[in-house]
Amino acid sequence: VEEMKKITRKLSPSPLEPYAAVLSADGDKMGRAISKLDTPQKHREFSQTLSKFAGEAREIVKASYGSCIYTGGDDVLAFVPLDTALGCARKLHDAFGALWEKGRDLTDIPSLSVGIAIGHALEDLEDLLHFGREAEKRAKKPSDDSADDERSGLAVTVHARGSSEIYVRERWKTARSYSPTEALAEMSLDCRMSFWADRFAKDEIPSKFPYELRGAAKFYDDWKKGKTLDNAMKFDVKRIFRRRAPKLKKAVLSDVERYIDTVITGSYRSIERLADELLAAQWIGGARARAGGKFQ
């Protein structure tokens, strides 16, 4: 056993990451698009596009240091490291969209919904795959049944041992890296989570901070809704940020406070959603720190 430990230390001097991400992706509006193909030639071109994407998907997962379980047409199922999971999901989404934009006359352009489920490596494989599939379903349909927010989504779930599930989901937006001129609220979920992950990886935000936000959310559970509550919640969340994250640069903290003004909407659930977003990003940030990755 000791000899094995010596060998693994040489191969990987840093501790091995005990958690991995199951990535499950599926095309949206595919049946609707197929129903509008009225010639054999269009059907052949459609099939060729799907085949091309399957090949590109395998290369994207490989470049992200992941391992494909299955790529077929518009379906992708893969294991990817936590530190590359968001980037892999973005590349798959963009590659899928780019293929349909080239000379297609489809009224409803297909999009790609992606679910990322984070789970422990010692979980049953069947359970991990189930987590991935469930994340994909949530990416396609949010849990609040808002019909105007269906499809073309990214969902990230965390299934940590001994903890309740963490879940965040939004529709895809154009990728924009963080900069002082880029509002966090306008960024896509993957880019915003990458921003938070890098803050955790650089120890600019302490690991216990999201849990304090959750505690603040419970405090406001039974309050009467209104402008007074809205202002109080925003002030409280900003206060917690200033007190618990003193390492944040002033310009970054200002951006974060503007984001708080946007997402805290007078409901305790809005604080919980922000806390969940930070908690999910924290897992990715920890993996990036252990992997020695580059930060924004």
Side-chain angles (χ1 to χ4, degrees):
V1 175
E2 290 302 319
E3 287 299 318
M4 289 295 294
K5 288 182 179 178
K6 291 179 182 179
I7 293 172
T8 55
R9 286 194 195 102
K10 290 180 181 179
L11 293 173
S12 178
S14 60
L16 295 176
E17 175 61 54
Y19 281 82
V22 182
L23 186 151
S24 182
D26 184 58
D28 305 317
K29 304 178 182 177
M30 300 302 290
R32 191 183 307 175
I34 291 172
S35 68
K36 294 182 178 181
L37 301 176
D38 53 7
T39 67
Q41 178 61 27
K42 289 182 179 179
H43 277 276
R44 283 192 292 269
E45 290 176 354
F46 193 91
S47 297
Q48 289 168 359
T49 300
L50 290 179
S51 179
K52 184 175 181 180
F53 173 70
E56 289 187 6
R58 286 190 292 271
E59 293 303 315
I60 289 171
V61 171
K62 183 179 178 181
S64 301
Y65 302 97
S67 178
C68 272
I69 300 171
Y70 174 78
T71 57
D74 60 324
D75 287 320
V76 180
L77 185 62
F79 284 103
V80 290
L82 298 193
D83 56 307
T84 65
L86 291 173
C88 184
R90 164 59 67 177
K91 290 172 185 174
L92 288 170
H93 170 267
D94 289 354
F96 188 79
L99 287 174
W100 300 108
E101 291 173 358
K102 297 176 181 177
R104 304 294 175 185
D105 58 356
L106 296 174
T107 303
D108 296 304
I109 301 296
S111 57
L112 191 74
S113 288
V114 184
I116 298 173
I118 298 172
H120 198 280
L122 295 182
E123 293 283 1
D124 288 342
L125 181 58
E126 183 178 353
D127 290 337
L128 289 173
L129 296 178
H130 173 72
F131 294 156
R133 290 300 192 192
E134 286 300 307
E136 176 203 298
K137 290 179 182 178
R138 284 177 161 178
K140 285 180 172 292
K141 176 73 173 178
S143 58
D144 60 2
D145 296 325
S146 51
D148 61 338
D149 198 30
E150 292 183 4
R151 313 293 180 180
S152 191
L154 169 67
V156 180
T157 62
V158 180
H159 302 265
R161 289 189 156 187
S163 301
S164 58
E165 181 194 54
I166 300 165
Y167 155 57
V168 291
R169 187 268 182 194
E170 281 184 14
R171 295 196 77 194
W172 287 102
K173 298 178 184 176
T174 303
R176 296 172 180 173
S177 297
Y178 174 73
S179 69
T181 59
E182 186 63 57
L184 284 173
E186 299 301 319
M187 292 171 65
S188 184
L189 177 62
D190 61 309
C191 300
R192 203 167 61 246
M193 285 187 66
S194 185
F195 165 82
W196 295 124
D198 287 348
R199 306 287 78 76
F200 281 111
K202 297 178 72 172
D203 198 31
E204 293 179 358
I205 300 177
S207 59
K208 293 182 180 180
F209 174 72
Y211 297 97
E212 189 169 349
L213 274 185
R214 275 191 166 184
K218 292 179 181 178
F219 176 74
Y220 290 106
D221 190 354
D222 297 325
W223 284 41
K224 183 179 179 180
K225 293 183 179 180
K227 189 66 177 179
T228 300
L229 174 60
D230 188 30
N231 291 334
M233 291 172 63
K234 290 176 180 179
F235 178 85
D236 202 15
V237 173
K238 291 176 185 179
R239 176 188 61 81
I240 296 171
F241 256 103
R242 294 189 198 105
R243 180 169 57 85
R244 298 291 291 169
K247 294 182 181 180
L248 282 176
K249 296 178 181 178
K250 288 184 178 181
V252 176
L253 180 59
S254 295
D255 293 340
V256 169
E257 291 186 347
R258 284 192 290 271
Y259 179 60
I260 291 169
D261 285 333
T262 301
V263 298
I264 303 303
T265 57
S267 165
Y268 79 97
R269 277 292 299 136
S270 64
I271 301 181
E272 285 186 339
R273 282 191 291 270
L274 175 59
D276 288 347
E277 183 177 307
L278 288 166
L279 281 167
Q282 184 182 30
W283 284 88
I284 295 171
R288 288 184 180 181
R290 288 185 288 275
K294 295 180 180 179
F295 308 131
Q296 290 184 343

